[in-house]
Amino acid sequence: MEMSRHFVLGITFMLNIQTIVHTHLFCTNTSLLHNTTIGQMLPNHKIQSFTAPGLMICARECVYQTNCLSFNFDTESGECELTRAVAGPSLPLVSKTGYVYAVKLDWVTAIAENCKHVNCAPNHICVPSKTGNMCVVNDCGLPPVIDFGSSPEYRGTVIGYTATYNCSGIGVKAEVASLTCLDTGVWEGRYCRRVSSCEDVQDCDSSYVDGEYWIYPNAFGNDERVKVYCHGLTTDSPVDYITLPKENRILWPSQKMTDSNCNLVTSDRTDSGESVFDKIRITTSTMAINQSDYQFARLLSGINHEYGNAQDCSNEVGTCGHAVIGYAKIDTEETGLIIKRTAVWHNIGYTIGMKYFNRSSDHVIEAVCGGWCGGCYAETPLTLELDNSTVLPDGAATGVTCRFNN
Ligand SMILES: *[C@@H]1O[C@H](CO)[C@@H](O)[C@H](O)[C@H]1NC(C)=O
Ligand SMILES: *[C@@H]1O[C@H](CO)[C@@H](O)[C@H](O)[C@H]1NC(C)=O
Ligand SMILES: *[C@@H]1O[C@H](CO)[C@@H](O)[C@H](O)[C@H]1NC(C)=O
Ligand SMILES: *[C@@H]1O[C@H](CO)[C@@H](O)[C@H](O)[C@H]1NC(C)=O
Ligand SMILES: *[C@@H]1O[C@H](CO)[C@@H](O)[C@H](O)[C@H]1NC(C)=O
Ligand SMILES: *[C@@H]1O[C@H](CO)[C@@H](O)[C@H](O)[C@H]1NC(C)=O
């Protein structure tokens, strides 16, 4: 056997070449060995790797795939690695015992029996068949650069292969993102995510204490910054709140109308009450308000009543009509949020009256309603949306830094 200019000394190697030529299922045209570089391989740039029964099969796979430009073949294990680059001065080969390296162009005429005359598009492979060769998608190309992701780690780029990224950055969860090459030829999967709840804040760093944080609720595509007060960060179940700098008040008065003089007298009912909500609890996946969370409701008298509802039990007497003294005030100014513009209030109860319901701005909603008992009740869930007219300063909350493996 005449060896090439790449002839490498060594009995071990000679045995390997003998193996390639004689014992593999598919014979190797020995003159093609002139076109292999022996004892070397091209690292990285991998498209795919698999075990091939022989060098010729490895070469054939490369020839069929549009993106393949060269290949490494491990004569010891039969591992065939297809690569999307060609070695050169800026892309040097590295020494590796038992390997051979070859460039696709040198092998095209010798291999591509069926697919010889087919020029498939990038990311495609030629599939030979008796009824005509076909080009089908088999490669997703290089994994994309993703927001907040490191450069990807991957062992190949064809269908079924995965690329992983380490996620990092302010407000970004420290985790591994991973994309898979789908049979549509597209990389898809889990991208890097931002901190979307107080639970995430806690996961990021268990040393964070209760306070205002910038989070990126999934309700807004995990993309819009919202200032959220995290409560219970040192407990098992932290809860998300929105701090309300302006007054938000709910008043169920204790008066009722008893006679035709239309006077209001104090009733003996125990369900009246007045509270000011300094914060409201939210669910970040929907931005729905929990109207009956009173953790940050300051009780001024009586008992707490749900956020956003105006109600009373003031009765209606003959010509006096309704007393109507239940009061609700919502004001989300300086929160960066507003109550959804489409939110509606329903009149519910017995002998209901509404004195007024005013949404004088995106931020301020005021209502005076009542009944026996009854009033104006916000649709549930009452939901917040972004207030695009308010930009809170960066310093208004803490940007979260996540620790890996904490
Ligand atoms: C491959 O072999 C052919 C014929 O021996 C030769 O002309 C060509 O230069 C070779 N290519 C490489 C890259 O060695
Ligand atoms: C071996 O390959 C060379 C170069 O591609 C070609 O000229 C020759 O016909 C091939 N021999 C056989 C037996 O296929
Ligand atoms: C992610 O980080 C770990 C630990 O530093 C490292 O071993 C791994 O290679 C990195 N992965 C990626 C995709 O950068
Ligand atoms: C609303 O808040 C109350 C009081 O904290 C709590 O018991 C309830 O589970 C919360 N509801 C939801 C849907 O979170
Ligand atoms: C309702 O809002 C309008 C517009 O701001 C205002 O003119 C009106 O006085 C308000 N009514 C009440 C009862 O607050
Ligand atoms: C604010 O802008 C977002 C898009 O950035 C939009 O989806 C949302 O509806 C806007 N909110 C309001 C109240 O206009």
Side-chain angles (χ1 to χ4, degrees):
M1 181 171 59
E2 187 211 90
M3 294 305 293
S4 73
R5 57 197 145 79
H6 301 294
F7 180 72
V8 171
L9 298 171
I11 282 295
T12 313
F13 177 73
M14 287 299 288
L15 286 175
N16 284 332
I17 287 295
Q18 294 296 327
T19 309
I20 300 169
V21 176
H22 297 296
T23 67
H24 280 90
L25 291 175
F26 297 84
C27 294
T28 299
N29 177 336
T30 51
S31 76
L32 281 164
L33 291 175
H34 288 280
N35 283 110
T36 60
T37 305
I38 291 159
Q40 293 196 295
M41 57 95 73
L42 178 64
N44 308 316
H45 310 286
K46 253 180 248 164
I47 294 173
Q48 186 180 7
S49 56
F50 52 90
T51 306
L55 177 63
M56 295 301 277
I57 296 297
C58 184
R60 192 184 67 187
E61 283 305 310
C62 183
V63 168
Y64 284 177
Q65 296 196 21
T66 313
N67 292 357
C68 184
L69 298 182
S70 68
F71 55 92
N72 303 312
F73 183 68
D74 180 350
T75 59
E76 282 164 9
S77 68
E79 185 80 351
C80 170
E81 298 172 355
L82 309 185
T83 66
R84 64 178 67 252
V86 174
S90 61
L91 220 55
L93 293 172
V94 300
S95 297
K96 198 149 184 194
T97 310
Y99 269 72
V100 296
Y101 170 77
V103 174
K104 170 160 88 173
L105 268 184
D106 299 329
W107 294 70
V108 173
T109 50
I111 304 279
E113 299 298 330
N114 291 291
C115 286
K116 195 169 274 183
H117 304 297
V118 178
N119 284 316
C120 295
N123 291 354
H124 283 63
I125 187 170
C126 179
V127 179
S129 81
K130 289 202 177 74
T131 55
N133 306 316
M134 283 187 312
C135 292
V136 297
V137 170
N138 83 310
D139 195 350
C140 285
L142 290 175
V145 170
I146 67 170
D147 287 348
F148 312 112
S150 62
S151 56
E153 269 178 10
Y154 57 95
R155 292 183 44 254
T157 63
V158 296
I159 292 164
Y161 278 68
T162 314
T164 60
Y165 307 74
N166 285 335
C167 301
S168 64
I170 297 287
V172 177
K173 295 181 80 168
E175 60 184 10
V176 175
S178 114
L179 304 183
T180 300
C181 176
L182 302 185
D183 56 13
T184 49
V186 177
W187 289 105
E188 261 177 44
R190 212 181 72 192
Y191 291 80
C192 292
R193 298 179 293 187
R194 293 193 248 212
V195 169
S196 68
S197 66
C198 292
E199 214 170 304
D200 282 351
V201 173
Q202 185 182 53
D203 283 349
C204 275
D205 191 335
S206 53
S207 67
Y208 280 126
V209 295
D210 289 7
E212 304 285 351
Y213 292 93
W214 292 119
I215 68 163
Y216 300 80
N218 289 336
F220 303 141
N222 194 223
D223 206 27
E224 302 279 355
R225 187 175 85 164
V226 172
K227 180 188 166 200
V228 165
Y229 182 87
C230 292
H231 175 67
L233 278 182
T234 55
T235 71
D236 284 346
S237 40
V239 183
D240 308 81
Y241 287 90
I242 301 295
T243 298
L244 302 166
K246 299 291 163 103
E247 186 191 70
N248 284 251
R249 196 153 58 93
I250 300 299
L251 166 62
W252 170 318
S254 59
Q255 289 92 349
K256 64 175 180 179
M257 207 181 269
T258 52
D259 56 37
S260 51
N261 297 330
C262 309
N263 291 328
L264 286 170
V265 299
T266 300
S267 95
D268 52 6
R269 296 183 68 100
T270 55
D271 48 10
S272 61
E274 181 172 17
S275 23
V276 170
F277 285 78
D278 292 328
K279 300 183 198 299
I280 44 174
R281 177 172 173 177
I282 53 153
T283 301
T284 56
S285 56
T286 57
M287 290 306 281
I289 298 168
N290 181 336
Q291 292 173 260
S292 55
D293 184 283
Y294 306 117
Q295 182 70 41
F296 293 100
R298 268 184 293 130
L299 192 61
L300 305 181
S301 69
I303 62 169
N304 283 307
H305 286 285
E306 292 186 340
Y307 178 78
N309 299 341
Q311 56 187 326
D312 67 20
C313 211
S314 62
N315 205 0
E316 174 197 33
V317 177
T319 52
C320 300
H322 300 280
V324 187
I325 47 178
Y327 177 67
K329 183 182 184 190
I330 290 176
D331 189 342
T332 61
E333 211 180 313
E334 293 171 27
T335 62
L337 299 163
I338 62 172
I339 299 289
K340 248 193 184 148
R341 285 188 181 135
T342 54
V344 294
W345 270 252
H346 302 286
N347 297 334
I348 299 171
Y350 181 63
T351 68
I352 311 140
M354 180 196 280
K355 198 166 274 172
Y356 67 86
F357 180 91
N358 237 7
R359 185 157 194 172
S360 54
S361 73
D362 263 347
H363 304 112
V364 182
I365 298 170
E366 255 185 303
V368 173
C369 305
W372 181 253
C373 310
C376 313
Y377 294 83
E379 66 177 13
T380 48
L382 188 58
T383 305
L384 294 163
E385 66 183 336
L386 286 172
D387 167 18
N388 296 320
S389 67
T390 302
V391 178
L392 299 175
D394 291 350
T398 303
V400 177
T401 304
C402 300
R403 291 201 274 180
F404 240 110
N405 306 322
N406 65 325

